[in-house]
Amino acid sequence: MDIGPNPDLPEDIRYIEADVLDPQLPGLIEGVLPEDARPFIVEDTAHTYETTTAALNGFHHLVPPGGYLVIEDGVVDIDELRINEDWPRGVQKAIADWLPSHPRFTQTASPYVVTCHPGGFLRASA
Ligand SMILES: C[S@@+](CC[C@H](N)C(=O)[O-])C[C@H]1O[C@@H](n2cnc3c(N)ncnc32)[C@H](O)[C@@H]1O
């Protein structure tokens, strides 16, 4: 886990190279956020049950009321839409297993007509 220099990025963007499965990562990210931050969390790592669950558990508390936590690429679990057998699986089950114990979040419809993230738009109650 490393907070390095920002390769070709503006100074106010912090580049952190880390494993989403690292339990120390949420605390490190929380530590670099400005006090008045209103994080919009987007999970786009390996699209497995484990990485999705780690992102949900690790970052949900950072989402402000009315904000979103977006889990990308839940399309991997829809057989008709899988274009490659190498794709992982587990995103939809991770969301479904996690939501009942986190009633602050509601699965909302995609704001887009077409999306690769079905079921992944999780809105925090206001
Ligand atoms: C689909 S790409 C997303 C890239 C980026 N979000 C973008 O849109 O350009 C997935 C990325 O997640 C990284 N990744 C895979 N497993 C990870 C993990 N456990 N923790 C952190 N990143 C991971 C991969 O190395 C890859 O760069």
Side-chain angles (χ1 to χ4, degrees):
M1 191 157 56
D2 182 41
I3 305 182
N6 292 347
D8 300 322
L9 295 171
E11 270 182 31
D12 60 348
I13 294 179
R14 305 294 300 273
Y15 182 81
I16 300 174
E17 187 168 357
D19 186 340
V20 74
L21 298 174
D22 185 337
Q24 294 188 324
L25 181 60
L28 180 132
I29 289 181
E30 200 167 351
V32 298
L33 287 174
E35 264 182 38
D36 58 350
R38 288 179 50 82
F40 169 48
I41 308 288
V42 178
E43 149 62 13
D44 185 20
T45 62
H47 314 304
T48 65
Y49 186 90
E50 291 72 22
T51 54
T52 304
T53 301
L56 288 166
N57 284 333
F59 303 113
H60 71 92
H61 66 287
L62 299 176
V63 181
Y68 281 83
L69 193 169
V70 175
I71 302 295
E72 288 204 4
D73 294 328
V75 68
V76 297
D77 293 307
I78 300 178
D79 284 332
E80 296 80 2
L81 300 178
R82 288 174 60 85
I83 58 173
N84 192 327
E85 267 312 302
D86 291 346
W87 278 8
R89 291 181 187 267
V91 171
Q92 300 290 347
K93 179 166 170 46
I95 296 171
D97 286 353
W98 183 86
L99 271 178
S101 53
H102 297 84
R104 188 168 84 93
F105 285 86
T106 304
Q107 228 167 0
T108 66
S110 164
Y112 309 108
V113 176
V114 176
T115 183
C116 286
H117 321 313
F121 294 87
L122 308 180
R123 185 172 195 266
S125 57

